[in-house]
Amino acid sequence: MKAPALPSLPALTAAIVCGAGLLPASLEAAEPEYTILDAGPNHQEIEWVAEEADAAGHRSRVTHSYVELEPGICYAEPGSGRWVSSQAEFEQAESGHFVARQTQFQVILAPDLGEAGAVDVLTPEGVRLVSTP
């Protein structure tokens, strides 16, 4: 699973210098591989390893990480219960209803919001809330 790209300062510097044509393209920083170490309903810890050079030019691999905090950032995957990154998007069913399944609160919206029970929300605790706007 990939997290948003957050390049390190040396990677940004190398990209700027390479873009200016001062370093050969072979020295450009490669896109790091991001790993989610831990996740829960409102957080995910992300780690990546980058090759960096110190002031003397010695290269080494350095591990970086950060914790991203956001309400609803992950949801428990049905079946496994594993926390995975939420996807704030709707898909349209053949019936015309719009369904959001990859979030903590699953939502079904009727194509006509004026019909009775047009909004159907299922909470993480399994409570179903049905309403009409």
Side-chain angles (χ1 to χ4, degrees), residues 49-63:
V49 178
E51 189 171 304
E52 298 178 6
D54 62 16
H58 299 103
R59 301 192 69 73
S60 62
R61 295 175 58 81
V62 179
T63 301

Side-chain angles (χ1 to χ4, degrees), residues 4-113:
L6 295 174
S8 63
L9 185 56
L12 280 174
T13 304
I16 291 168
V17 172
C18 289
L22 301 176
L23 288 178
S26 62
L27 293 179
E28 287 187 43
E31 178 71 23
E33 195 65 35
Y34 293 91
T35 305
I36 296 178
L37 297 178
D38 183 41
N42 303 311
H43 80 282
Q44 58 186 4
E45 183 179 356
I46 299 170
E47 176 184 85
W48 72 99
V49 178
E51 189 171 304
E52 298 178 6
D54 62 16
H58 299 103
R59 301 192 69 73
S60 62
R61 295 175 58 81
V62 179
T63 301
H64 301 276
S65 67
Y66 66 94
V67 176
E68 187 173 7
L69 301 173
E70 181 180 333
I73 195 167
C74 295
Y75 72 101
E77 189 175 54
S80 71
R82 181 175 70 99
W83 291 102
V84 295
S85 295
S86 295
Q87 302 297 318
E89 59 191 31
F90 283 92
E91 56 190 80
Q92 191 169 12
E94 287 183 28
S95 64
H97 289 76
F98 295 91
V99 182
R101 293 187 174 115
Q102 298 177 335
T103 56
Q104 285 184 27
F105 288 79
Q106 296 179 17
V107 180
I108 301 172
L109 300 175
D112 176 9
L113 293 178

